Amino acid sequence: MNVPDPRYPIGRFAPPEPIDAATRGAAIDALAAHPAEIRAAVDGLSSAQLDTPYRDGGWTVRQVVHHLADSHLNAYCRTRLALTEEEPTIRVYDEKLWAELADARSAPVEPSLVLLAALHERWVACLRAQPEGAFARSLRHPERGPMSLDRLIALYAWHGRHHVAHVTELAGRLGWR
């Protein structure tokens, strides 16, 4: 039996090719839905459940929620930079070290859930207000090179689903739901 890799419960990111208006619209819709999906995934979990790693050697559910807020806040800023500057070089950060900070390991998840809801509302409004040509604008990732806004949106639509699946797969595996 082929057991899926618990690091990638929905598979690794594969950018859609080509990215057309329908594909982009679906990615933006996924970004709009993400805050409610992660909230539903953690709703009713106890503190002990939130402190359970989603896999051996992985982050806890709590760290996943805080990581989503951190990561998507960076993606929102990157979106705005791509829209307002000519191929800006973005700053990278060490997500693993951010997830080890005390607040990511122990703070309540509610502030990150609220942040995600407000952040995604702004991000989606910004994206839906852009003309077609804006999505070809790009930024430069110091390690990955140029990335179009279309690809960035597709990546973070996948990223949200990826981490929601970490939580829901864990909850199903341990009989929490």
Side-chain angles (χ1 to χ4, degrees):
M1 183 167 133
N2 187 13
V3 177
D5 184 340
R7 294 172 302 169
Y8 299 98
I10 63 167
R12 291 182 180 266
F13 174 64
E17 292 294 334
I19 299 176
D20 57 16
T23 305
R24 178 184 312 116
I28 294 170
D29 289 346
L31 291 174
H34 173 67
E37 291 168 351
I38 190 63
R39 180 175 286 281
V42 301
D43 187 47
L45 295 184
S46 69
S47 187
Q49 289 168 325
L50 290 171
D51 290 332
T52 303
Y54 72 88
R55 65 174 175 86
D56 288 340
W59 291 336
T60 66
V61 172
R62 185 182 311 275
Q63 286 172 297
V64 167
V65 173
H66 294 312
H67 162 71
L68 283 164
D70 292 341
S71 177
H72 290 207
L73 181 61
N74 274 283
Y76 171 74
C77 291
R78 291 168 179 178
T79 297
R80 295 183 74 80
L81 288 168
L83 289 169
T84 60
E85 298 178 16
E86 289 305 314
E87 199 172 279
T89 298
I90 60 165
R91 181 176 164 90
V92 296
Y93 67 101
D94 190 329
E95 65 185 30
K96 292 176 181 131
L97 291 177
W98 284 37
E100 291 302 322
L101 291 171
D103 65 315
R105 294 185 62 77
S106 63
V109 296
E110 185 61 22
S112 285
L113 294 170
V114 170
L115 175 59
L116 275 167
L119 176 65
H120 278 245
E121 187 174 342
R122 281 285 310 276
W123 193 8
V124 167
C126 175
L127 292 171
R128 288 186 173 153
Q130 297 308 310
E132 178 82 17
F135 297 96
R137 294 186 62 88
S138 64
L139 53 81
R140 179 168 293 280
H141 191 288
E143 298 161 355
R144 298 183 188 142
M147 178 183 294
S148 71
L149 187 53
D150 264 334
R151 185 178 171 108
L152 182 83
I153 294 164
L155 173 63
Y156 282 91
W158 169 87
H159 186 255
R161 290 189 304 267
H162 164 74
H163 284 302
V164 167
H166 283 144
V167 177
T168 58
E169 294 284 322
L170 174 68
R173 198 168 60 248
L174 297 182
W176 296 348
R177 307 264 182 206

